[in-house]
Amino acid sequence: MNRYLVPVSMLGTAVGGAVLLRDYVAGGACPSKATLQGKTVIVTGANTGIGRETALELARRGGNVILACRDMEKCEAAAKDIRGETLNHRVNARHLDLASLKSVREFAKKVIEEEEKVHVLINNAAVMRCPHWTTEDGFEMQLGVNHLGHFLLTNLLLDKLKASAPSRIINLSSLAHVAGHIDFDDLNWEKRKYNTKAAYCQSKLAIVLFTRELSRRLQGTGVTVNALHPGVARTELGRHTGMHSSAFSSFTLGPIFWLLVKSPQLAAQTSTYLAVAEELEGVSGKYFDGLREKAPAPEAEDDEVARRLWAESARLVGLKVAASAFPRSLWLLAAVDWAAGLCLLQVIQAQDEPLPKPSLQALPSPLVPLDKPVTLHCQGPPGVHLYRLEKLRSGKYEDKDTLYIPAMRQSAAGLYRCSYQNGSRWSPPSEQLKLVATGIYDKPTLSAQPGPAVSPGGDVTLQCRSKYGFDQYALYKKGDAGHKGPERWYRADFPIITVTAAHSGTYRCYSFSSSSPYLWSAPSDPLELVVTGTSGTPSQSPTEAPSSTTQPSKDTTTFSGGPGSTTEPSREPPSSQGGQTLQRDYTRGNLVRICLGAAILILLAGILVEDWHSRKKFPLRWDPAVHRPLPPLPQAPKSQSGQDRGRPAGHPQGLPPSEP
């Protein structure tokens, strides 16, 4: 028996060591228990492998998950399986081919139009060591899919991510980036002999550099971006490598891969961790290996390479890059240098400062009875070139500042916003305006328990009742702050604890369903609440529903009985402070124009002086005069012409005046 003791012990030690090594390589599960209720997440390449497992985990946490995939058949099947496994019906499949810039733009356009917010973007999709293929736009496939496609997608969704802040961008790179090098002379492998491994490493290094530069540009926006190495996983990503096509390699190297390779479920834990962990709030520009932050390769920390790669990537995908330098000629006079420097400073400041948001008003009110008129008005600063008024989720818009609806219909109800264009720049969109059609259903009843006459310091509950099975109720009163009451089917209670004289007034309530949040009942009959024994004078009953713009009203309050109800904004015009800000922006534009004009005049003077000096130094003697042409003046960039007048890409047309 003793002769077997040593071999058995060695075998047990080897097996135990292998298990420990495998556990170490796996890296563990995401420690955060945070959920994503009410948050929208986009995962590219989510029909298989790490992307599918990431989408599954985020769906378990309650997120609204969008699977963005090239193969829609597999994508729909994955979405169906995830919905069935998590019982989360907010899992949807959408087409996205990262090898086509057209497809990327179409996907981003739909997301911008159909999603109110995007909280997490996970750039997961990738190809690895494929043959020397090219994308639809002529880019080397690994660079085009792994980096350029995600670069364009992220930039197109940046405004949506900023509007949803705090939000996160997660870029899947690889440990292979340490062997990568960015060859700016031949990014697309047109001059060198193609090396599939080197091309893959270059694309993964580009992702880390993109993450670093994007983090710098996003400082102060509430949007963070981080890169990660998920570990080596058993997925379809390596289908182009030799091992997957060789039975001998699979047999001989299989045990080693069993020890060193993660399952897709464990590999997805890093993406999940970066998407949900509370302790990573505000962490940006970092590189994670598994669940731990690590330093990337030295070239991945080179800011100059990162900026140069950003500029080259923007050029390749057709994004505009803000000018970082003012063109100068070595022969210009010192005065020209001074003027150019001054103008450069003003131009950069003008470009960096965002345009102020416009305001959107509904007159006379955002609560509009059926067949009654309403006017939507967008207001921006002086000198606006073009207004755009949109109805969200419909894909419809009008290029004007005012939309008159002569008779309210159910189809006109919904969310609206507006923006404006100055030069080639578009403003941020206004706050969303909720236009509600009232009178769709019979009015509810409103009562006070124990009664409408209450002594100071007492309690009263306002009860809104409907004969229909509504789950949302809204209560309106002039002159006081509101509070929420628990809603139930067919009824909602709005308790007022410790009544004071300020609670006196006239109240109305509405009922509606969360499935149709813009179609409300008629208002209830007014209820006058009287606080006895006080000198307060009850408010008079309003003849119309409270008015709305985009600012909270001083004399109108919403008591909400459910998440679908809204707070009425006021009809106040923009504040004087806001008006001063708009005027400063307009004055700065004039200063920039004056400065540029002065620089051009100094430039012309310098040209004339140099020409006179050259003629004086080299006289033509008896030869007939020869008039040398002056150097060409710098040409201003040509503006895009056409009927779209500088519209941002991806906007359909046709918002009818009476049927938005």
Side-chain angles (χ1 to χ4, degrees):
M1 180 67 182
N2 292 336
R3 62 180 179 178
Y4 297 110
L5 183 60
V6 174
V8 170
S9 298
M10 293 177 63
L11 178 62
T13 302
V15 172
V19 173
L20 291 175
L21 176 62
R22 178 174 171 79
D23 290 343
Y24 174 79
V25 170
C30 171
S32 175
K33 304 300 181 184
T35 62
L36 291 170
Q37 294 291 342
K39 294 188 176 181
T40 299
V41 182
I42 298 174
V43 184
T44 67
N47 62 296
T48 185
I50 297 174
R52 184 189 184 282
E53 295 301 326
T54 302
L56 175 63
E57 180 61 33
L58 299 180
R60 284 198 183 104
R61 295 172 183 257
N64 171 24
V65 183
I66 298 174
L67 280 62
C69 316
R70 178 178 58 85
D71 189 329
M72 282 305 294
E73 183 177 351
K74 293 182 179 179
C75 196
E76 292 283 4
K80 181 179 179 181
D81 291 343
I82 293 174
R83 287 193 294 265
E85 188 169 344
T86 63
L87 301 181
N88 181 350
H89 67 278
R90 297 180 301 277
V91 178
N92 299 289
R94 291 188 183 171
H95 180 260
L96 170 63
D97 184 358
L98 289 162
S100 167
L101 298 184
K102 178 183 178 182
S103 176
V104 173
R105 288 189 170 91
E106 290 175 349
F107 173 84
K109 171 188 171 184
K110 290 183 179 179
V111 169
I112 292 169
E113 291 176 349
E114 298 176 6
E115 300 298 328
E116 290 187 25
K117 294 189 175 183
V118 175
H119 300 89
V120 182
L121 171 62
I122 301 180
N123 292 320
N124 167 87
V127 292
M128 175 182 178
R129 301 192 64 177
C130 61
H132 193 186
W133 296 337
T134 57
T135 68
E136 179 182 292
D137 304 279
F139 306 131
E140 186 271 320
M141 182 65 70
Q142 296 184 88
L143 181 73
V145 171
N146 299 353
H147 170 58
L148 293 177
H150 284 131
F151 176 87
L152 177 60
L153 174 64
T154 303
N155 276 279
L156 293 177
L157 296 180
L158 273 185
D159 287 344
K160 181 70 71 173
L161 288 159
K162 291 176 183 178
S164 310
S167 53
R168 305 184 185 189
I169 303 169
I170 299 161
N171 296 327
L172 270 73
S173 181
S174 169
L175 184 61
H177 84 275
V178 300
H181 171 67
I182 305 298
D183 187 343
F184 288 103
D185 294 329
D186 192 19
L187 278 177
N188 278 306
W189 295 86
E190 298 169 340
K191 304 175 184 177
R192 298 169 286 167
K193 181 180 179 181
Y194 186 67
N195 185 318
T196 179
K197 179 180 178 181
Y200 177 72
C201 295
Q202 175 184 251
S203 71
K204 290 301 182 179
L205 174 60
I207 292 172
V208 184
L209 288 165
F210 165 50
T211 302
R212 186 176 184 88
E213 177 64 11
L214 180 59
S215 175
R216 184 185 69 82
R217 291 168 178 256
L218 290 176
Q219 290 179 5
T221 64
V223 184
T224 62
V225 54
N226 293 289
L228 67 94
H229 167 53
V232 183
R234 293 188 299 274
T235 68
E236 296 180 6
L237 183 63
R239 57 186 174 272
H240 298 296
T241 61
M243 178 180 172
H244 289 262
S245 59
S246 171
F248 176 77
S249 298
S250 299
F251 177 76
T252 56
L253 299 179
I256 299 177
F257 273 80
W258 180 85
L259 286 174
L260 302 179
V261 177
K262 295 181 179 182
S263 66
Q265 294 88 340
L266 286 173
Q269 296 305 306
T270 308
S271 301
T272 303
Y273 177 63
L274 295 184
V276 303
E278 300 93 333
E279 61 268 26
L280 296 182
E281 187 72 37
V283 175
S284 186
K286 305 301 182 182
Y287 172 78
F288 286 79
D289 187 345
L291 303 180
R292 296 181 295 275
E293 179 187 335
K294 288 191 176 181
E299 187 172 346
E301 296 183 301
D302 190 323
D303 290 333
E304 182 59 33
V305 174
R307 283 191 289 267
R308 185 177 177 187
L309 177 64
W310 180 286
E312 182 64 14
S313 301
R315 184 187 69 82
L316 291 174
V317 303
L319 284 178
K320 292 183 179 179
V321 182
S324 58
F326 196 83
R328 295 171 47 194
S329 298
L330 296 177
W331 50 267
L332 288 181
L333 299 175
V336 179
D337 289 337
W338 172 82
L342 178 61
C343 289
L344 170 64
L345 177 62
Q346 295 294 332
V347 170
I348 290 178
Q349 289 178 347
Q351 288 181 346
D352 288 343
E353 182 175 352
L355 295 174
K357 285 185 178 182
S359 63
L360 181 60
Q361 307 175 17
L363 303 173
S365 166
L367 302 184
V368 188
L370 285 178
D371 299 324
K372 296 295 184 181
V374 63
T375 300
L376 304 184
H377 179 66
C378 184
Q379 182 176 355
V384 169
H385 297 161
L386 175 70
Y387 279 98
R388 173 158 298 165
L389 203 156
E390 305 173 72
K391 183 181 181 186
L392 299 181
R393 300 184 181 179
S394 71
K396 298 178 180 179
Y397 70 88
E398 286 287 350
D399 282 337
K400 55 187 179 182
D401 62 344
T402 301
L403 176 67
Y404 175 66
I405 302 175
M408 187 64 178
R409 297 285 185 268
Q410 296 185 27
S411 59
L415 288 175
Y416 290 80
R417 71 178 181 184
C418 71
S419 55
Y420 63 87
Q421 183 187 35
N422 267 347
S424 61
R425 302 172 62 202
W426 282 89
S427 73
S430 67
E431 298 297 330
Q432 296 180 3
L433 172 69
K434 186 174 182 179
L435 191 65
V436 175
T438 65
I440 306 298
Y441 312 106
D442 292 342
K443 63 184 179 182
T445 60
L446 182 62
S447 61
Q449 298 297 331
V454 190
S455 300
D459 300 338
V460 65
T461 299
L462 302 184
Q463 297 179 334
C464 193
R465 301 288 185 268
S466 174
K467 62 182 179 180
Y468 304 108
F470 294 114
D471 62 336
Q472 302 288 296
Y473 295 82
L475 183 70
Y476 289 88
K477 172 195 175 287
K478 287 187 176 181
D480 196 8
H483 60 274
K484 294 183 178 181
E487 73 278 359
R488 295 189 291 272
W489 295 107
Y490 306 105
R491 58 178 289 181
D493 293 341
F494 301 90
I496 303 176
I497 310 300
T498 312
V499 171
T500 66
H503 291 111
S504 296
T506 303
Y507 295 79
R508 295 173 183 265
C509 75
Y510 296 81
S511 57
F512 58 100
S513 171
S514 57
S515 61
S516 300
Y518 315 117
L519 305 179
W520 290 15
S521 69
S524 67
D525 293 331
L527 170 69
E528 186 171 352
L529 186 66
V530 178
V531 181
T532 60
T534 66
S535 59
T537 302
S539 304
Q540 297 300 316
S541 173
T543 57
E544 294 289 341
S547 62
S548 168
T549 61
T550 59
Q551 302 296 327
S553 174
K554 296 180 180 179
D555 62 353
T556 304
T557 300
T558 300
F559 294 74
S560 172
S565 55
T566 59
T567 301
E568 284 295 285
S570 78
R571 300 176 60 177
E572 296 286 338
S575 65
S576 59
Q577 182 179 0
Q580 294 172 0
T581 302
L582 300 183
Q583 186 61 37
R584 283 200 302 271
D585 181 77
Y586 190 63
T587 304
R588 174 172 292 177
N590 290 335
L591 179 60
V592 170
R593 296 183 183 95
I594 294 172
C595 184
L596 288 175
I600 292 174
L601 291 176
I602 295 175
L603 174 64
L604 290 172
I607 294 172
L608 293 174
V609 169
E610 183 185 4
D611 184 66
W612 174 82
H613 179 72
S614 63
R615 289 175 180 272
K616 182 178 180 181
K617 187 174 182 180
F618 302 103
L620 296 177
R621 300 179 182 178
W622 56 268
D623 295 330
V626 178
H627 297 282
R628 296 179 299 162
L630 293 176
L633 293 177
Q635 297 295 321
K638 295 182 179 180
S639 60
Q640 296 180 352
S641 61
Q643 296 181 353
D644 61 351
R645 299 159 63 189
R647 295 188 183 100
H651 279 279
Q653 300 186 24
L655 180 62
S658 60
E659 295 289 341

